[in-house]
Amino acid sequence: MNNTAMTGNVENMAQRNRQILAMPNVRVFYQKKGRAKYISHLDITRCMQRALKRAGIPVWYTQGFNPHMYLTFALPLALGYESECECMDFRLSEPMDLETVKERLGKALPRDMAVTKVALQQAKPQEIVQAEYELRFFCNDPAQLISALTAFCEKPELIVMKRTKKGEKPVDLKPEFQLLEHWQEEGCVVFRARFTAGQKNINPTLLTDLFLKENNMQDVLVQVLRKQIYLADGSVFE
């Protein structure tokens, strides 16, 4: 191949990449429940890479000396949490119907993970401000727990040590969450709550661990389910 032909191929590839980068990301929404809640974020990334390959979905790879599948995840989930609203973004290297993407990827995912929706990206992950959770407390005395948690959340401040990249620092949880409602199910009490999320992310376990410790209820089991993610105007992250 002569230099002119090589130059032409490089220019064509560059033009193709510019076209792909100009297109909106494809956003996959999926559930992560049951045993899948014990899969770490790093392993979820690897799992998705394998699933996309098995599904035959034409995912765009980054360019350069170390090409890799372009995947991004908004608000990665803490280990041990379940979720009904996880999402992953990627780019297609060639057109494919989004319903086909949903069907193929859904079949390639492991048990306890399920694709719920595939659409073009609307909001950016940086626009996320809140996440809604269901906190399930498995206890012997639901009435006592409801009373104790309600009183606990009415304190003027709730100081906890939060890990950051620069080490631990004290954080007041009081302005970072809202208890919305609660109800009882067999063997447990469920609290629905919203927590600050996104650029400043508050893990619900910070609140539940502090509550259980201060009330000497370390024998109470807590399960966390993320229900939805929200933007500043109150709309759902899509």
Side-chain angles (χ1 to χ4, degrees), residues 3-211:
N3 290 339
T4 301
M6 291 180 62
T7 300
N9 286 339
V10 170
E11 290 177 349
N12 289 338
M13 290 177 61
Q15 175 64 23
R16 176 59 179 158
N17 281 325
R18 285 193 292 270
Q19 292 174 345
I20 293 173
L21 292 173
M23 297 170 60
N25 288 341
V26 172
R27 178 161 288 166
V28 174
F29 292 89
Y30 62 95
Q31 294 184 351
K32 182 172 179 274
K33 293 184 173 182
R35 290 178 295 179
K37 70 181 180 181
Y38 298 113
I39 304 176
S40 69
H41 176 61
L42 181 60
D43 287 333
I44 283 290
T45 302
R46 294 168 177 160
C47 171
M48 285 298 188
Q49 289 173 340
R50 292 192 295 267
L52 287 164
K53 289 179 181 179
R54 285 197 300 269
I57 296 172
V59 180
W60 180 75
Y61 281 69
T62 61
Q63 305 301 297
F65 292 103
N66 183 32
H68 57 275
M69 192 178 290
Y70 174 82
L71 301 178
T72 60
F73 296 80
L75 210 62
L77 193 67
L79 186 67
Y81 283 15
E82 294 183 313
S83 176
E84 295 179 350
C85 57
E86 293 306 281
C87 74
M88 170 187 72
D89 295 349
F90 64 89
R91 291 192 176 105
L92 291 170
S93 60
E94 58 186 66
M96 176 176 280
D97 179 73
L98 297 184
E99 281 300 313
T100 301
V101 173
K102 178 183 176 182
E103 180 181 355
R104 288 189 182 183
L105 182 58
K107 292 179 179 179
L109 288 177
R111 183 182 302 175
D112 297 329
M113 291 180 64
V115 177
T116 58
K117 179 181 177 182
V118 177
L120 296 181
Q121 173 187 314
Q122 300 297 320
K124 296 180 180 179
Q126 295 86 342
E127 298 177 66
I128 294 171
V129 298
Q130 281 190 322
E132 186 171 300
Y133 298 86
E134 286 183 359
L135 311 176
R136 280 177 168 75
F137 296 83
F138 292 84
C139 58
N140 295 322
D141 191 340
Q144 180 191 11
L145 189 139
I146 292 171
S147 176
L149 183 56
T150 301
F152 173 79
C153 293
E154 290 175 352
K155 290 184 176 182
E157 60 179 16
L158 297 167
I159 305 299
V160 67
M161 298 302 296
K162 185 178 186 295
R163 290 182 181 179
T164 68
K165 293 180 180 179
K166 297 182 180 180
E168 290 190 340
K169 69 174 185 178
V171 173
D172 183 8
L173 298 178
K174 183 67 175 182
E176 308 297 347
F177 76 96
Q178 301 168 279
L179 290 184
L180 303 176
E181 61 176 335
H182 67 267
W183 62 91
Q184 293 188 38
E185 295 179 354
E186 185 176 356
C188 72
V189 178
V190 185
F191 279 82
R192 185 168 69 93
R194 288 192 186 183
F195 288 79
T196 299
Q199 300 295 317
K200 181 181 182 182
N201 194 55
I202 299 298
N203 190 320
T205 302
L206 291 173
L207 178 70
T208 58
D209 284 354
L210 181 64
F211 163 68

Side-chain angles (χ1 to χ4, degrees), residues 152 207-218:
F152 173 79
L207 178 70
T208 58
D209 284 354
L210 181 64
F211 163 68
L212 296 178
K213 181 179 180 181
E214 289 196 2
N215 288 271
N216 194 29
M217 295 183 176
Q218 285 88 340

